DNA sequence: ATGGTGGTTAGACCA
């Protein structure tokens, strides 16, 4: 098992449209593993060759036409494992792979939680009901993983900013999907159920503001800085002590034709 | 202020 191990997560909002940006990120930051969300790319059209040429020849992908889609790219050997159909839907919102072997093996789970639509009412908005059901399933998954796989890592675009300082204005976002009490409580319960370590918040505790997403609809995103922390890295209870450092690549939001999310990176020292 | 912008894919749908 390599030590240190760097894992990144990035909602790229179309892997084909932003292929050059992903390659630039890999060249500049060379993480060992990159987990992507919103690839929006069927498996037979995924740019496997371009990533292999960049040194990321080990790949686990799960894509459908048009929406969602997740992938794990690695420059060290990985073994793809189960893809979960969350909420019973084959909609490419989870993929997992194992890095390392035997007692040192680490299983990486990459999730893309539904955004949930605009109206935070599960009765009136089926997309919000889907999101809440997904989070409940994430709680059950966390409980099982805590018991069976304490060396797991869970990353992804969870589309929820759980803490007060994960958003630019706690009060103004309490009724905005991504920061409503039912969502933030749900995600906090998933963390508890899994005894997960919220890696970026260990490194940057509250009340520091930490964001990984800025809306496309906000002009002058940098100056206004109305961000939210939607992208997360959770370490299983056996890996919490290995956390070495982390980084949020805010500058990629300023690249030409950017994703609205930026990469979140964590480095573990596995001794 | 119920707009605003962006991606996929061909008229909406999703974020």
């Amino acid at each position: 098992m390599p030590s240190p191990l760097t894992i990144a997560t990035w909602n790229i909002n179309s892997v084909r449209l932003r292929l050059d940006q992903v390659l630039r990120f890999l060249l500049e930051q060379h993480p060992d593993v990159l987990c992507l969300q919103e690839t929006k790319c069927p498996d037979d059209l995924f740019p496997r060759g371009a990533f292999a040429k960049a040194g990321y020849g080990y790949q686990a992908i799960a894509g459908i036409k048009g929406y969602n889609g997740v992938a794990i790219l690695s420059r060290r050997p990985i073994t793809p494992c189960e893809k979960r159909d969350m909420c019973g839907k084959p909609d490419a919102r989870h993929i997992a792979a194992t890095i390392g072997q035997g007692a040192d093996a680490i299983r990486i789970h990459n999730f893309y939680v539904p955004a949930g639509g605009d109206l935070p009412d599960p009765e009136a908005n089926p997309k919000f009901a889907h999101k809440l059901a997904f989070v409940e399933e994430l709680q059950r998954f966390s409980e099982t993983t805590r018991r069976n796989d304490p060396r797991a890592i869970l990353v992804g675009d969870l589309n929820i900013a759980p803490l007060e300082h994960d958003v630019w204005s706690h009060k103004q976002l309490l009724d905005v999907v991504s920061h409503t009490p039912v969502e933030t409580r749900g995600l906090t319960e998933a963390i508890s159920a899994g005894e997960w370590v919220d890696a970026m918040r260990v490194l940057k505790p509250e009340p520091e503001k930490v964001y990984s997403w800025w809306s496309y609809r906000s002009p002058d995103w940098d100056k206004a800085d109305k961000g939210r922390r939607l992208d997360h890295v959770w370490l299983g209870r056996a890996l919490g002590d290995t956390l070495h450092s982390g980084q949020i690549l805010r500058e990629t939001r300023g690249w030409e034709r950017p994703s609205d999310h930026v990469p979140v990176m964590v480095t573990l020292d596995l001794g």
Side-chain angles (χ1 to χ4, degrees):
Chain A
M1 174 62 72
S3 177
L5 180 75
T6 299
I7 297 178
T9 178
W10 194 7
N11 177 321
I12 194 58
N13 188 15
S14 172
V15 70
R16 285 175 286 178
L17 191 70
R18 266 176 274 283
L19 177 59
D20 289 347
Q21 296 192 35
V22 181
L23 292 172
R24 176 179 172 186
F25 166 73
L26 292 173
L27 183 71
E28 292 181 356
Q29 301 295 331
H30 50 268
D32 295 290
V33 179
L34 173 60
C35 297
L36 295 172
Q37 304 86 35
E38 278 205 275
T39 55
K40 297 184 174 176
C41 184
D43 290 350
D44 56 333
L45 298 177
F46 193 89
R48 284 181 176 276
F51 291 123
K53 196 174 167 191
Y56 291 78
Y58 300 97
Q59 305 171 356
I61 62 177
I64 55 174
K65 186 169 129 183
Y67 310 106
N68 310 334
V70 287
I72 302 176
L73 310 176
S74 177
R75 59 193 180 112
R76 305 187 182 278
I78 57 172
T79 306
C81 38
E82 90 286 358
K83 306 172 185 180
R84 306 178 77 92
D85 288 340
M86 298 291 287
C87 301
K89 300 173 191 283
D91 58 356
R93 291 182 180 275
H94 168 267
I95 193 166
T98 302
I99 185 165
Q101 297 204 327
D104 289 338
I106 292 173
R107 184 152 301 178
I108 299 166
H109 291 275
N110 177 12
F111 281 99
Y112 175 51
V113 174
D118 289 330
L119 190 64
D121 175 359
E123 308 288 326
N125 174 10
K127 287 189 279 193
F128 194 68
H130 179 208
K131 183 178 197 176
L132 296 183
F134 197 109
V135 170
E136 282 186 22
E137 194 166 334
L138 204 57
Q139 292 170 3
R140 295 192 293 273
F141 168 84
S142 294
E143 160 66 19
T144 304
T145 303
R146 178 188 62 79
R147 280 188 280 110
N148 298 339
D149 192 11
R151 292 177 65 80
I153 298 176
L154 189 159
V155 311
D157 175 7
L158 305 185
N159 265 317
I160 296 171
L163 303 177
E164 179 175 347
H165 299 284
D166 289 340
V167 294
W168 64 276
S169 169
H170 175 62
K171 284 186 180 174
Q172 286 181 255
L173 288 172
L174 276 171
D175 60 353
V176 173
V177 171
S178 74
H179 195 63
T180 65
V182 65
E183 294 169 85
T184 59
R185 190 185 319 124
L187 205 67
T188 299
E189 285 172 9
I191 292 175
S192 299
E195 288 181 39
W196 298 108
V197 172
D198 179 350
M200 283 313 302
R201 274 306 185 190
V202 172
L203 299 166
K204 296 174 180 289
E206 294 221 291
E208 184 177 351
K209 293 288 189 186
V210 181
Y211 309 140
S212 64
W213 175 90
W214 293 261
S215 172
Y216 283 128
R217 296 174 189 177
S218 169
D220 207 356
W221 70 273
D222 192 25
K223 182 157 179 270
D225 202 21
K226 294 183 173 179
R228 305 177 200 170
R229 187 172 73 107
L230 304 180
D231 303 275
H232 301 268
V233 177
W234 294 350
L235 307 178
R237 57 189 170 88
L239 295 175
D241 291 341
T242 71
L243 179 61
H244 176 270
S245 56
Q247 217 178 339
I248 295 185
L249 275 292
R250 182 183 173 112
E251 62 266 31
T252 67
R253 186 63 178 79
W255 289 356
E256 195 174 341
R257 292 194 84 186
S259 170
D260 44 355
H261 296 252
V262 304
V264 176
M265 295 176 69
V266 162
T267 299
L268 307 182
D269 184 353
L270 297 166

